Amino acid sequence: DAEITQSPRHKITETGRQVTLACHQTWNHNNMFWYRQDLGHGLRLIHYSYGVQDTNKGEVSDGYSVSRSNTEDLPLTLESAASSQTSVYFCASSGSGTGELFFGEGSRLTVL
Amino acid sequence: EDKVVQSPLSLVVHEGDTVTLNCSYEVTNFRSLLWYKQEKKAPTFLFMLTSSGIEKKSGRLSSILDKKELFSILNITATQTGDSAIYLCAVDSGNTGKLIFGQGTTLQVKP
């Protein structure tokens, strides 16, 4: 069965460290997204990609970057982690022309 | 600025009660409205609504969209403890999966 997987599922890091969260999907979807979820804010879009070599900023992109070198993967990098980036991160994907998102299981990141 | 607002933010009911969750939106280019259920982990898809007045139904859950008044409701009848979750409403403003989410409604169903 097709799926979308995230790793690591849990990570604790220190302020200033670089962190990369991996996202891998086997749906062969063109569209991939990173959201963060915080209490009281729902899901907020960080970055998204509509295909290989395409990346776009979402509403809360400061301090984050992504790259899309193939269809399956969209890693999210925190260049210099800050305590404000403590959150649960969800990767999601969708096929072209549909609105439905398929979500990964989430990565809980704690920045101390 | 595109916006999706859900109400109430939290709700506590007893098994057997009926609940109505609300979602209003302001977006520049509406394509569809989606409802998701989130338990411990990833959100799971419930409904996608694109046309006004057409009810979507799945078991005890149903949802309807009003594109004139810019809102949707999600009804759950005869609630069960397994319905306890966060219910997320989202709007697709470009048919590209770039969903704008509301804050979510946390529903707790007590035995």
Side-chain angles (χ1 to χ4, degrees):
Chain A
D1 283 348
E3 59 180 1
I4 179 166
T5 55
Q6 295 182 228
S7 63
R9 296 291 312 283
H10 300 272
K11 184 166 182 70
I12 300 173
T13 191
E14 295 177 343
T15 301
R17 296 276 180 113
Q18 183 180 80
V19 175
T20 296
L21 305 179
C23 175
H24 179 81
Q25 53 100 1
T26 58
W27 291 98
N28 200 32
H29 285 158
N30 286 325
N31 306 332
M32 294 185 73
F33 306 84
W34 274 103
Y35 287 87
R36 60 178 288 177
Q37 187 173 34
D38 306 286
L39 200 62
H41 290 280
L43 286 159
R44 292 182 291 173
L45 184 62
I46 305 171
H47 281 286
Y48 58 103
S49 168
Y50 291 144
V52 176
Q53 302 301 330
D54 176 75
T55 60
N56 306 278
K57 293 181 178 180
E59 64 174 301
V60 290
S61 61
D62 287 350
Y64 303 94
S65 63
V66 294
S67 60
R68 187 87 182 270
S69 58
N70 58 50
T71 300
E72 296 80 19
D73 299 290
L74 188 71
L76 177 71
T77 297
L78 287 68
E79 302 293 343
S80 177
S83 57
S84 60
Q85 295 176 309
T86 293
S87 187
V88 179
Y89 292 85
F90 285 99
C91 181
S93 71
S94 70
S96 299
T98 72
E100 182 183 350
L101 284 180
F102 296 82
F103 284 89
E105 294 290 290
S107 295
R108 182 177 293 277
L109 176 67
T110 302
V111 182
L112 301 176
Chain B
E1 183 184 331
D2 293 345
K3 189 167 60 173
V4 178
V5 177
Q6 292 185 244
S7 64
L9 294 182
S10 65
L11 191 54
V12 180
V13 301
H14 287 92
E15 274 192 317
D17 289 348
T18 293
V19 298
T20 298
L21 309 183
N22 303 292
C23 175
S24 63
Y25 61 90
E26 293 177 32
V27 297
T28 51
N29 184 26
F30 177 89
R31 293 286 301 197
S32 60
L33 185 144
L34 296 89
W35 285 96
Y36 284 84
K37 177 182 181 181
Q38 184 179 21
E39 296 175 84
K40 302 279 188 200
K41 297 179 181 177
T44 54
F45 173 77
L46 293 175
F47 299 112
M48 179 188 294
L49 303 157
T50 56
S51 302
S52 273
I54 299 174
E55 185 182 55
K56 292 274 181 103
K57 203 168 168 63
S58 176
R60 296 176 293 102
L61 277 66
S62 64
S63 184
I64 198 160
L65 174 68
D66 185 328
K67 290 168 75 173
K68 183 180 175 187
E69 300 298 328
L70 308 182
F71 77 91
S72 173
I73 59 172
L74 175 68
N75 279 322
I76 309 174
T77 59
T79 51
Q80 301 171 358
T81 55
D83 295 324
S84 296
I86 300 172
Y87 290 85
L88 296 164
C89 172
V91 172
D92 179 358
S93 65
N95 205 30
T96 54
K98 185 183 154 191
L99 300 184
I100 302 161
F101 283 85
Q103 319 95 303
T105 294
T106 300
L107 173 66
Q108 182 184 359
V109 181
K110 292 187 171 181

